[in-house]
Amino acid sequence: MAKRLTNKVAIIGCGPGSLGYITLKALQGIKESDVLVGSKRLLNLFPEVKANKILLGKNYRTLLSKIVSLSSRKKVTILVSGDPGFFSYARLVVGRLGQKNCEVIPGISCMQLAFAAIGKTWNDAHFMSLHGRRSELEGLVEVVKTHNKVAVLNDGGISPRLLSHTLIKGGVKDRKIFLCENLSLENEKVREFNLDSLGKAEAEGMNVLIFTTQGISSSE
Ligand SMILES: C[S@@+](CC[C@H](N)C(=O)[O-])C[C@H]1O[C@@H](n2cnc3c(N)ncnc32)[C@H](O)[C@@H]1O
């Protein structure tokens, strides 16, 4: 069992990127922190917070020992995008530090925003992440073939053209696709495609893709 730390490490969900989607509870935790650990994008959301700021990037594994040692003297908060329970650094942190040493504060996931933007439910969706997992693209074919509603995280590394090509080649037919980019930010874009038109689209930045079987909206 992991040793009990003097101060719990907070893992705070910061929502999809705009301050309007950060909860009051999250904001309070962030303001009370001595140390904030997060990506540049998330740290930049809180210029007025006086905490010591540590950039989280490729150092994410080695940083864990530093976080543990800092937590003996300071209140350390790890900022994650969206909700900590949905494809985030929280899994690694809680796995290493133990649940008793962590306080997880939920946030609004980009998935919630994406489904809200297209006016559909997400309780019946199947989820997958291609964020930093380009090698799993082939696996998407089977997932889309076998589920009526599939929602996928994409860091922008996989173009709409490659997605369309891979799915058509894999034998996927008749899907409505929603491409939801930069949700909650100034350059937010939510567009609807079929497999062919997706192949001609350009996308910029992080996005959520939702694949639905045609006609599914009539049964909702
Ligand atoms: C490591 S995952 C984190 C997901 C996060 N825990 C959540 O609940 O939203 C990062 C991926 O989330 C998606 N994402 C995060 N913020 C987004 C936004 N504002 N608009 C669209 N997609 C976003 C992108 O697919 C990005 O590659």
Side-chain angles (χ1 to χ4, degrees), residues 147-196:
H147 295 83
N148 286 333
K149 199 185 268 184
V150 177
V152 180
L153 296 177
N154 178 19
D155 52 20
I158 302 174
S159 68
R161 188 183 148 88
L162 179 58
L163 275 161
S164 156
H165 177 76
T166 308
L167 292 169
I168 292 172
K169 197 170 130 227
V172 176
K173 295 188 182 78
D174 297 335
R175 289 298 186 282
K176 197 182 268 188
I177 301 135
F178 297 92
L179 174 59
C180 311
E181 298 168 79
N182 303 312
L183 291 159
S184 83
L185 305 175
E186 273 178 11
N187 52 349
E188 173 179 297
K189 239 193 230 176
V190 176
R191 291 176 286 163
E192 188 181 324
F193 299 97
N194 60 30
L195 280 168
D196 286 329

Side-chain angles (χ1 to χ4, degrees), residues 98-114:
Q99 183 251 320
K100 289 197 169 66
N101 286 318
C102 300
E103 181 192 10
V104 179
I105 299 183
I108 297 174
S109 175
C110 63
M111 250 338 142
Q112 287 170 269
L113 251 79

Side-chain angles (χ1 to χ4, degrees), residues 8-12 29-38 43 49-55 63 66-67 69-79:
K8 282 191 182 192
V9 171
I11 305 168
I12 297 189
I30 290 165
K31 284 180 180 160
E32 289 169 359
S33 303
D34 301 311
V35 180
L36 290 182
V37 178
L43 292 174
V49 176
K50 294 282 177 279
N52 178 20
K53 293 177 182 159
I54 299 178
L55 193 61
L63 205 53
K66 187 167 180 180
I67 289 169
S69 113
L70 280 169
S71 74
S72 64
R73 291 166 284 127
K74 308 213 179 247
K75 184 160 173 21
V76 181
T77 291
I78 300 172
L79 306 175

Side-chain angles (χ1 to χ4, degrees), residues 54-91:
I54 299 178
L55 193 61
L56 173 67
K58 294 210 167 97
N59 57 347
Y60 68 96
R61 282 186 190 279
T62 50
L63 205 53
L64 279 175
S65 334
K66 187 167 180 180
I67 289 169
V68 169
S69 113
L70 280 169
S71 74
S72 64
R73 291 166 284 127
K74 308 213 179 247
K75 184 160 173 21
V76 181
T77 291
I78 300 172
L79 306 175
V80 299
S81 78
D83 182 70
F86 191 74
F87 294 104
S88 92
Y89 187 42
R91 189 171 69 93

